[in-house]
Amino acid sequence: MILNLDPRSNTPIWEQVVHQIKELILKEILQPEDKLPSVRELSGTLLINPNTVSKAYQELERQGIIETLRGKGTFVSASITPRADEQKITEMKQQIKQLVIEASYLGIDQQTLAEWIKKFSAELGGSNKYVKND
Amino acid sequence: MILNLDPRSNTPIWEQVVHQIKELILKEILQPEDKLPSVRELSGTLLINPNTVSKAYQELERQGIIETLRGKGTFVSASITPRADEQKITEMKQQIKQLVIEASYLGIDQQTLAEWIKKFSAELGGSNKYVKND
DNA sequence: ACGTGTGTATTATTATGTATAGTACACTTA
DNA sequence: TAAGTGTACTATACATAATAATACACACGT
């Protein structure tokens, strides 16, 4: 598995791993019950520390995205259920608010933002499995 | 000036100050050439270190949002020009991509995201001064 | 000239998070 | 048994954030 990691990014490496694996699952490149690379293998290909990969896997498991079986490996969860986590939704709204503010100072209007959202949604596979009314 | 700071947030205090001052300017609560509180005064009301306020002010000046006059104080810039900073736009696209991914796992569709953007845009004053075609 | 209020610079200290390194343990499977 | 799994633990290094204390240069009103 090949991920694009940016060591100079302000987002931690383990978090980049989490993000990109979630993206691969949405794109169905990783499918339910697929086996993920072992901690040692992935740390080898990504040239990062095994502990960093382990931290990413633990976070993914905490979110219910993957499951780990001792001695066997880690696998994409058979069924990923979207949780309407109220706190996360609040955080997301705050993030969007901040996004709109920054966009204003860059001369970007809301319509452009909406178009970008539409574009990325399409890239992730038009019919989104995890959205309720779908 | 009263700002809502969250010491437990992962975003640094100085960055929260930057964000909220930019928001106040968009809402025209702070207007061009208005004087901002002095570093010491704001640090007093917010109960944070003067250096933290200073760092926020320096970042705002770097972005051309405010101007500082030695011995006089800091003021909202007379004219704020939106810069189409390509790097920042690229970062914003990446941020939106990540937002769409996270939204998917929360069961939020793109339409809802677009509506939230519209809502926050309205809150910031419908006619946005810093957007070109406006 | 003086004192006060500006932003700024500097040094030091503390705390936190990230990432690495090395080692060890419990488990599963061939 | 041996190899491969995830995990736990300690230790180290590094960067950033935040605070504290001090000092400097400038503007302004008296």
Side-chain angles (χ1 to χ4, degrees):
Chain A
M1 185 161 56
I2 302 173
L3 305 180
N4 288 332
L5 301 183
D6 180 7
R8 297 178 307 174
S9 170
N10 44 356
T11 62
I13 295 179
W14 66 267
E15 206 169 333
Q16 295 182 42
V17 174
V18 169
H19 288 161
Q20 297 193 29
I21 288 182
K22 291 173 82 169
E23 182 179 351
L24 289 177
I25 294 175
L26 280 181
K27 288 182 176 175
E28 296 185 354
I29 296 175
L30 284 176
Q31 301 188 354
E33 311 205 36
D34 272 359
K35 186 180 183 302
L36 293 169
S38 75
V39 167
R40 291 170 178 79
E41 179 187 356
L42 187 54
S43 70
T45 60
L46 298 182
L47 301 178
I48 60 180
N49 195 280
N51 293 339
T52 305
V53 176
S54 180
K55 185 167 187 177
Y57 279 8
Q58 289 178 45
E59 172 62 18
L60 284 168
E61 186 175 25
R62 198 192 62 78
Q63 296 184 21
I65 310 289
I66 68 177
E67 294 170 357
T68 75
L69 299 179
R70 281 266 189 132
K72 297 189 66 175
T74 69
F75 305 83
V76 179
S77 293
S79 73
I80 299 176
T81 311
R83 305 176 301 168
D85 186 324
E86 272 306 323
Q87 182 177 356
K88 280 198 176 182
I89 290 179
T90 300
E91 290 173 2
M92 178 162 291
K93 285 182 181 175
Q94 178 60 32
Q95 196 178 350
I96 290 179
K97 179 181 176 181
Q98 190 52 42
L99 201 76
V100 171
I101 292 175
E102 292 304 321
S104 293
Y105 284 95
L106 288 174
I108 299 171
D109 59 16
Q110 62 179 88
Q111 219 162 12
T112 302
L113 292 178
E115 286 171 4
W116 286 350
I117 286 180
K118 193 174 178 181
K119 174 188 154 209
F120 286 121
S121 293
E123 285 182 5
L124 293 176
S127 60
N128 191 328
K129 307 173 298 303
Y130 306 139
V131 172
K132 299 157 192 170
N133 53 345
D134 185 62
Chain B
M1 184 161 55
I2 302 172
L3 305 180
N4 288 332
L5 302 183
D6 181 5
R8 299 178 307 176
S9 170
N10 45 356
T11 62
I13 296 179
W14 66 267
E15 207 169 332
Q16 295 183 42
V17 174
V18 169
H19 289 161
Q20 297 194 28
I21 288 182
K22 291 171 83 170
E23 182 179 351
L24 290 177
I25 294 176
L26 281 180
K27 287 181 175 175
E28 298 187 352
I29 296 175
L30 283 177
Q31 301 189 354
E33 310 205 35
D34 272 358
K35 185 178 182 307
L36 292 169
S38 74
V39 168
R40 290 171 180 80
E41 179 187 356
L42 188 54
S43 71
T45 61
L46 298 181
L47 299 178
I48 60 180
N49 194 279
N51 293 339
T52 306
V53 177
S54 180
K55 186 168 185 176
Y57 278 9
Q58 287 177 46
E59 173 61 18
L60 284 167
E61 184 175 26
R62 198 193 60 78
Q63 295 184 22
I65 311 290
I66 67 177
E67 295 171 358
T68 74
L69 299 179
R70 280 271 188 125
K72 296 189 66 176
T74 69
F75 305 83
V76 179
S77 295
S79 73
I80 299 177
T81 311
R83 303 177 303 167
D85 186 324
E86 272 306 322
Q87 182 178 355
K88 282 198 174 180
I89 291 180
T90 300
E91 290 173 3
M92 177 163 291
K93 285 184 181 175
Q94 178 60 32
Q95 196 178 348
I96 290 179
K97 179 181 176 181
Q98 190 52 41
L99 200 75
V100 171
I101 292 175
E102 293 303 321
S104 294
Y105 284 94
L106 288 174
I108 300 171
D109 59 15
Q110 61 179 89
Q111 218 162 13
T112 302
L113 291 179
E115 285 171 4
W116 287 350
I117 286 181
K118 193 174 177 180
K119 174 189 153 209
F120 286 121
S121 293
E123 285 182 4
L124 293 175
S127 60
N128 191 326
K129 308 172 298 304
Y130 306 140
V131 172
K132 299 160 192 166
N133 53 345
D134 184 65

